[in-house]
Amino acid sequence: MKKMILGIVALVLSTLALHAQQNCFNLLIDSQTAAPGDMVCLSVRVNNFDDILGLQTAFQWDTTRLDFIEITNFNLPGLIPEDFNAEGGNIGEGRATFSWFNTDFTGLTLDDNTAIFDFCFEVIGNDGYGGFQFVSASDITNTEIILSNSEILPSFSLLGGGVAIGSA
């Protein structure tokens, strides 16, 4: 129960941080509540996605509570499953990378709160919180947002999410 409360507090603080970053590029992950055995899909959303040519980042999740199933609902031009490193050892360790480049070489603008894809998991842990977050600098990739003028965006915000797990 204590971990679930801490997860909810983290979600509230993340939401407050999002409001503080209103003019900054944001990547954020949804949060949900589920019971063990449920399948959940957590959307990765964007805010201030203005004139973006490319994007890459890494993800990490709690493998004791979330078992990776698939990535779905691709919502960027040309985005395909091969743009994710979602196979082999990284998945077993609760890690994946993502890299997208707009192949028509123009910047893309999306409405705030647009879901660009979903990560789907089976909830395998007991009561608590299964975190799913971005890893901005890791041994598998660094987070970079590329503007249409080929410059790398100097500041951005990454807001994780996850699953509050409770008995039905």
Side-chain angles (χ1 to χ4, degrees):
M1 180 70 172
K2 187 182 282 186
K3 288 184 180 181
M4 185 182 300
I5 291 171
L6 289 174
I8 292 169
V9 168
L11 174 63
V12 170
L13 291 175
S14 293
T15 302
L16 292 174
L18 174 62
H19 291 295
Q21 299 285 334
Q22 287 180 1
N23 294 323
C24 179
F25 177 93
N26 296 289
L27 279 171
L28 55 142
I29 300 171
D30 285 351
S31 290
Q32 293 185 24
T33 300
D38 287 351
M39 183 176 121
V40 296
C41 292
L42 302 175
S43 293
V44 175
R45 298 182 182 277
V46 295
N47 286 322
N48 297 308
F49 195 101
D50 299 320
D51 207 24
I52 304 298
L53 182 62
L55 166 66
Q56 73 177 24
T57 193
F59 303 93
Q60 184 172 327
W61 58 89
D62 182 349
T63 58
T64 65
R65 298 181 187 273
L66 302 173
D67 187 26
F68 174 79
I69 296 173
E70 65 181 339
I71 303 166
T72 64
N73 297 325
F74 303 114
N75 195 21
L76 290 171
L79 185 62
I80 57 174
E82 289 76 19
D83 293 331
F84 296 84
N85 178 7
E87 297 179 6
N90 284 336
I91 289 295
E93 296 172 3
R95 304 183 322 164
T97 61
F98 155 71
S99 180
W100 168 80
F101 185 81
N102 196 359
T103 57
D104 71 3
F105 299 100
T106 61
L108 179 67
T109 297
L110 297 173
D111 292 336
D112 284 352
N113 207 34
T114 296
I116 57 174
F117 50 83
D118 295 348
F119 268 81
C120 298
F121 301 94
E122 179 183 354
V123 178
I124 59 173
N126 294 319
D127 291 356
Y129 192 76
F132 178 46
Q133 63 269 345
F134 297 98
V135 183
S136 63
S138 74
D139 60 331
I140 51 178
T141 197
N142 292 324
T143 298
E144 290 184 347
I145 298 96
I146 304 167
L147 300 169
S148 67
N149 64 3
S150 298
E151 291 183 15
I152 295 175
L153 194 63
S155 65
F156 51 86
S157 135
L158 305 172
L159 304 171
V163 180
I165 304 166
S167 302

